[in-house]
Amino acid sequence: MVALSLAMVGCQQPTPSATDSPHSDSFEEDIATPEVLKLVYSRAPVTLNPHLATGFQDFEAARIVYEPLASYGPDGELIPILVDELPSLENGDVSEDGLSVTWRLQETLRWSDGEPLTAADVAFTYKFIANPAVAAVTAQYYRDIKSVEAVDDHTVKITFKQPTVSWQKPFTGLNGLILPEHLFKDFNNRKAREAPTNFQPVGTGPYRYLTEANGRLLFTPNELYRQPVNHFKRVEILGNVPPYVAARDVLREGTADFAHNIQLESAALVDLVQTGDAGALRLTFGSQVERIMLNFADPDQETEAEERASKEFPHPILKDLRVRQAIDYGIDRQAIVEQLYGDLGKPTSQLLVAPNPSAEQSISFKHDVETAKALLDEAGWVDSDGDGIRDRNDVPLQLVFQTSIGTIRQATQTLVQEQLAEIGIDILVERVRAEDFFSADPEQTNSINHFYADMQEYAIGNDIPDPIVYMGWWTCDNIAALENNWQKPNNARYCNADYDELWEAARKERDPAKRSDLFRQMDRKLANDVAVLPIVHRALSNAVSDRITGYTFTPWDASTWDIANWRPVEAEPAEPAETEAEAEPVETETEPVEIETEEETPTDVSEDAPEDPN
């Protein structure tokens, strides 16, 4: 048995005792197994502050405790959570000029320590996120805001810098979780990551944090939640669980109830699904696109300030569009999906896949070895010495390809290496620990934002239905660099004034049809420039025990977003929580998936984060 352990990095804060808690808890209480909900993750939470999250695992754990004003159901429609009614033009809470939106909080909300949640907490959360000294990972969703005002205890008014159609961006979904001012006000500065509440959160959600014990994070029902939560007496989170072990424990052994986003090669999952009778695999196709990034900057040159991969030095090989096109033609997306992903992925050449404004004009892909070779010939790369590797001016056509350590990503690297060798490109594979690869630490030079390689692979997508922030990652102003501590998302260092112009137009456009057309144009321009290589529209593939029910997975929030509704199968349904979606899911599939060894090839070429990348 592989040991299942979880270590909260930097968690030096003392764990609370029963006397520290406003509730009568006994952490040693023996809870019967049916009353414990066990969740397992491939990575361990680093912090329980969502605005300082380092990856999906932090958001997933934090979402059990914290809540936004509203979130998005499977159909992408807003669902009220901390408010009774959503703002709209009809009720006057969305201004006619698009310059402001007003949210009206429920009046009886309380933090799990007994303090009331008020509009001042919402206004403070904005100040915390917007403070450059805090370096919040969610700050990009709040940059259009001019001010956030607590009009009274239960009314919040957000004023934007310019008319905006995206009034719903702030304080909604995964990036909108509200923090308690009384516990964070002394840490709205460079000491933000030292706040004890980062590791001992106090929220308004259905469960409250207890402690870390025996390698697990423990949560218990929040008695101050707005409705009874009595299906499970304890929620346990285990991290650093290898994907195969996690899937096996849910699907076959029945020793865990939920395993987040299992990413295994299709053959391994086929065996687990076909031989296991304790759970099912639930697929949700959202916005996650597994992509190969191409570096537009030279990772081997340094500026006078010792900055590598700077936009000052274009990549000597990849700056040539013909080389990028050859790589695109050389990669066989269909083979990658068929051999590695099966039902868990669809081949794609689009970045923006959900909601999908490109559905009417899908971006096609083609695996064409001869065209790839011809493009490289035209670019002056030939095999002058017959060793199978092209060269030019005695320089071999050799590229370093890095990604995080993981079974399916390493298999993808191997396939891409073989496919590009066929057209004369020598790929050197590098594998990086996930904690380093997805790190936001400016000192971590193996991170995706430093990008000290020629190619790198990861998955990400827009994490709210409005893709304006996501598509903004490709603008010149968002290039990751020393001057912004590598905190901006354009790690490819792609820069195109025409693209920026389209993005600015979309940001200001209030007509939905015209705005969707601008997004289509942006997606097409990235494809024409081969600015990135989308390869797989990746499903969120959660393994779920047959003993639990009541869950609804959405592409637009954490899997734990509606954990208040999760219950044992034999339990009588409670009144639905505020987060339960009534609408029929769009672009999602949450029925049990029977993975076949010879499935039909998906024909839809359209399609996670940091989710945050993962």
Side-chain angles (χ1 to χ4, degrees):
M1 170 68 76
V2 178
L4 306 182
S5 63
L6 182 150
M8 300 254 321
V9 177
C11 184
Q12 293 91 11
Q13 308 300 328
T15 54
S17 66
T19 57
D20 294 326
S21 173
H23 309 271
S24 56
D25 295 319
S26 172
F27 298 141
E28 303 303 321
E29 181 183 358
D30 185 24
I31 305 294
T33 297
E35 297 178 305
V36 178
L37 180 65
K38 297 182 180 180
L39 318 180
V40 293
Y41 291 84
S42 62
R43 293 167 62 192
V46 175
T47 178
L48 295 180
N49 184 334
H51 301 292
L52 306 179
T54 64
F56 68 86
Q57 74 288 349
D58 298 338
F59 284 111
E60 287 273 321
R63 193 64 177 85
I64 294 173
V65 174
Y66 291 116
E67 297 179 295
L69 300 183
S71 195
Y72 305 89
D75 59 356
E77 293 298 315
L78 269 182
I79 298 170
I81 294 180
L82 296 179
V83 296
D84 287 322
E85 183 181 11
L86 295 173
S88 68
L89 285 168
E90 290 72 22
N91 63 23
D93 286 338
V94 176
S95 67
E96 293 280 353
D97 59 10
L99 283 172
S100 69
V101 59
T102 299
W103 293 84
R104 304 182 189 279
L105 300 171
Q106 296 177 33
E107 296 188 2
T108 57
L109 297 170
R110 296 167 68 190
W111 298 103
S112 62
D113 63 0
E115 292 291 321
L117 182 150
T118 70
D121 292 301
V122 181
F124 169 79
T125 299
Y126 168 69
K127 293 176 183 176
F128 184 88
I129 294 168
N131 187 345
V134 171
V137 299
T138 52
Q140 59 191 318
Y141 292 89
Y142 297 81
R143 287 177 182 152
D144 290 337
I145 292 177
K146 181 180 180 181
S147 65
V148 177
E149 175 190 2
V151 178
D152 57 41
D153 280 352
H154 307 294
T155 308
V156 181
K157 182 177 181 180
I158 303 171
T159 302
F160 299 101
K161 297 174 183 176
Q162 63 182 24
T164 178
V165 70
S166 307
W167 59 265
Q168 73 277 20
K169 273 192 308 183
F171 305 115
T172 62
L174 204 57
N175 301 292
L177 307 188
I178 310 302
L179 299 178
E181 179 181 19
H182 64 287
L183 296 176
F184 280 103
K185 62 184 178 181
D186 293 335
F187 296 91
N188 187 15
N189 47 48
R190 293 185 182 278
K191 294 183 178 180
R193 284 164 175 78
E194 300 174 16
T197 314
N198 291 338
F199 313 106
Q200 301 167 13
V202 171
T204 58
Y207 291 89
R208 56 185 174 82
Y209 178 73
L210 283 178
T211 189
E212 178 187 0
N214 300 320
R216 297 165 171 81
L217 293 185
L218 305 183
F219 302 81
T220 196
N222 176 12
E223 297 91 332
L224 301 181
Y225 189 57
R226 51 191 172 272
Q227 68 179 52
V229 180
N230 52 22
H231 296 310
F232 299 102
K233 290 185 177 180
R234 180 78 40 91
V235 174
E236 296 183 359
I237 288 183
L238 297 87
N240 290 335
V241 183
Y244 183 86
V245 175
R248 183 198 62 195
D249 287 353
V250 174
L251 302 176
R252 183 186 291 169
E253 304 296 332
T255 54
D257 299 304
F258 170 87
H260 179 262
N261 200 19
I262 301 299
Q263 293 296 317
L264 287 173
E265 291 186 46
S266 180
L269 273 176
V270 166
D271 177 63
L272 285 171
V273 169
Q274 291 182 346
T275 61
D277 58 3
L281 201 63
R282 310 276 178 167
L283 303 187
T284 302
F285 279 93
S287 65
Q288 292 288 302
V289 176
E290 191 81 18
R291 79 279 308 277
I292 295 175
M293 307 293 292
L294 301 177
N295 204 338
F296 280 73
D298 187 350
D300 297 322
Q301 284 204 65
E302 286 188 351
T303 65
E304 291 184 2
E306 298 184 346
E307 177 184 359
R308 289 175 59 186
S310 166
K311 61 183 179 181
E312 292 184 26
F313 301 112
H315 197 287
I317 298 173
L318 296 176
K319 66 181 179 183
D320 191 329
L321 174 61
R322 294 167 297 187
V323 175
R324 302 197 302 274
Q325 289 173 328
I327 294 172
D328 192 12
Y329 280 116
I331 291 177
D332 189 346
R333 293 165 172 82
Q334 197 73 51
I336 291 171
V337 167
E338 290 177 355
Q339 295 182 41
L340 304 180
Y341 283 85
D343 290 342
L344 272 62
K346 305 173 184 179
T348 187
S349 196
Q350 293 183 201
L351 269 186
L352 183 57
V353 295
N356 187 7
S358 299
E360 297 175 3
Q361 304 172 32
S362 60
I363 299 172
S364 62
F365 56 85
K366 184 178 182 181
H367 175 53
D368 190 331
V369 171
E370 295 309 313
T371 297
K373 289 179 177 179
L375 284 164
L376 293 175
D377 287 341
E378 184 182 330
W381 293 96
V382 297
D383 183 4
S384 62
D385 55 11
D387 66 352
I389 300 172
R390 292 173 180 265
D391 56 85
R392 188 178 66 184
N393 300 326
D394 296 324
V395 176
L397 184 47
Q398 191 174 74
L399 299 171
V400 176
F401 179 15
Q402 70 176 17
T403 191
S404 59
I405 294 174
T407 303
I408 201 164
R409 288 211 171 110
Q410 265 65 83
T412 303
Q413 279 183 308
T414 298
L415 281 179
V416 169
Q417 185 181 47
E418 294 171 353
Q419 291 166 3
L420 295 186
E422 189 175 353
I423 64 173
I425 300 178
D426 185 25
I427 297 295
L428 303 180
V429 167
E430 288 190 357
R431 298 164 182 176
V432 183
R433 288 194 327 146
E435 294 79 6
D436 298 338
F437 192 65
F438 296 113
S439 174
D441 183 352
E443 303 300 318
Q444 178 49 260
T445 58
N446 284 326
S447 72
I448 58 174
N449 275 7
H450 279 80
F451 196 2
Y452 294 163
D454 306 306
M455 303 163 60
Q456 64 180 1
E457 178 189 348
Y458 57 87
I460 201 168
N462 45 308
D463 43 18
I464 62 173
D466 186 328
I468 190 66
V469 172
Y470 175 58
M471 299 306 281
W473 293 348
W474 299 94
T475 59
C476 300
D477 285 345
N478 267 331
I479 288 176
L482 174 63
E483 64 184 3
N484 53 58
N485 275 329
W486 294 278
Q487 296 303 300
K488 291 194 174 183
N490 185 353
N491 52 57
R493 282 85 180 182
Y494 170 79
C495 183
N496 184 315
D498 292 338
Y499 182 89
D500 284 13
E501 185 177 339
L502 288 170
W503 185 79
E504 284 292 344
R507 190 163 71 100
K508 299 173 183 176
E509 182 56 62
R510 299 181 68 187
D511 181 272
K514 292 179 181 178
R515 203 159 180 264
S516 289
D517 184 63
L518 288 166
F519 287 133
R520 277 193 291 269
Q521 292 181 55
M522 279 185 270
D523 206 2
R524 176 70 61 179
K525 181 163 285 296
L526 292 175
N528 290 343
D529 285 351
V530 196
V532 58
L533 299 172
I535 53 174
V536 180
H537 177 189
R538 208 179 78 175
L540 174 71
S541 51
N542 291 329
V544 188
S545 169
D546 286 342
R547 85 176 187 95
I548 66 171
T549 187
Y551 48 82
T552 301
F553 298 131
T554 172
W556 313 115
D557 205 332
S559 297
T560 53
W561 78 299
D562 68 339
I563 199 168
N565 298 322
W566 297 20
R567 63 184 184 273
V569 169
E570 65 273 12
E572 288 295 322
E575 288 297 317
E578 299 288 342
T579 58
E580 186 166 357
E582 299 295 336
E584 195 68 24
V586 175
E587 284 293 312
T588 63
E589 178 184 352
T590 55
E591 292 302 310
V593 174
E594 180 70 27
I595 299 181
E596 303 292 342
T597 54
E598 294 184 11
E599 75 283 351
E600 290 186 2
T601 301
T603 56
D604 181 5
V605 297
S606 67
E607 184 208 65
D608 10 89
E611 146 186 127
D612 146 68
N614 52 75

